[in-house]
């Protein structure tokens, strides 16, 4: 699959629209669009506050505040959050400890949630959460994908990329998550 499989070909117009229903308070701003590739169905965005560039499907919206970037599909069924993580502040020693602690805390609060973690070849950690309860905005349970990436040479800092999708679209969501991971560029 490519970004075109998830896109609405609006030539990037969605990225200049605001959404009054998004939480974020007065510090929320639209993320900077670096480029539009209509043929590939993607927009290249910069989340300046966290120094991350990421490609997103056309038709999505993206915003950020002082600590994270937020993006979502036009129907809000696919939702993404990306933020910097200070592992020491979180009380963990590194990305692996963070991934294990987060999944353990979620399972302790919601025993029906199943979490599986795997260390990837690049040293990042991929975690999948299944049976995540739906929120008021959802019509079904969710699957959530996490990617925890440690800063090279500094195990105390990292990036967390999270994508939540409807459970019935888990396979499709995983393919989008792979595209997002591949497109992510972090300025450490």
């Amino acid at each position: 699959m490519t970004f075109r499989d998830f896109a609405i070909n609006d030539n990037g117009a969605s990225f200049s629209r605001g959404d009054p229903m998004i939480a974020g308070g007065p510090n929320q701003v639209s993320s900077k669009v670096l480029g539009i590739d209509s043929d590939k169905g993607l927009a290249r965005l910069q989340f300046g506050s966290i120094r991350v560039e990421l490609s997103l499907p056309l038709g999505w919206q993206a915003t950020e505040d002082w600590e994270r970037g937020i993006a979502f599909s036009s129907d809000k069924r696919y939702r993404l959050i990306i933020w910097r993580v200070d592992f020491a502040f979180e009380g963990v020693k590194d990305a692996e400890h963070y991934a294990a602690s987060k999944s353990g805390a979620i399972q302790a609060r919601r025993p029906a949630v199943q979490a599986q973690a795997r260390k990837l070849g690049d040293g990042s950690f991929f975690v999948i959460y299944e049976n995540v309860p739906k929120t008021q905005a959802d019509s079904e349970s969710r699957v959530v994908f996490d990617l925890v990436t440690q800063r090279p040479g500094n195990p105390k800092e990292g990036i967390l990329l999270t994508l939540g999708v409807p459970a019935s679209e888990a396979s499709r969501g995983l393919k989008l998550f792979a595209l997002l991971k591949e497109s992510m560029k972090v300025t450490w």
Side-chain angles (χ1 to χ4, degrees), residues 24-100:
N27 297 326
Q28 181 180 343
V29 297
S30 293
S31 298
K32 182 179 180 182
V33 177
L34 300 175
I36 303 290
D37 189 332
S38 293
D39 291 338
K40 292 183 179 176
L42 64 86
R44 187 80 183 157
L45 277 86
Q46 179 182 49
F47 295 98
S49 62
I50 57 170
R51 299 184 321 265
V52 172
E53 289 181 22
L54 191 67
S55 294
L56 292 170
L58 292 178
W60 281 45
Q61 289 186 340
T63 187
E64 63 184 280
D65 59 24
W66 62 275
E67 69 175 348
R68 69 185 160 249
I70 300 167
F72 51 90
S73 61
S74 62
D75 60 8
K76 296 185 177 84
R77 291 168 14 112
Y78 284 50
R79 300 186 291 268
L80 176 139
I81 300 175
I82 184 166
W83 45 23
R84 294 259 173 179
V85 181
D86 180 336
F87 296 126
F89 178 79
E90 297 293 334
V92 296
K93 62 182 180 176
D94 57 20
E96 181 175 17
H97 191 198
Y98 179 82

Side-chain angles (χ1 to χ4, degrees), residues 97-110 115 127 129:
H97 191 198
Y98 179 82
S101 296
K102 181 180 176 191
S103 60
I106 289 171
Q107 288 178 305
R109 281 193 316 249
R110 303 211 185 251
V127 186
Y129 301 94

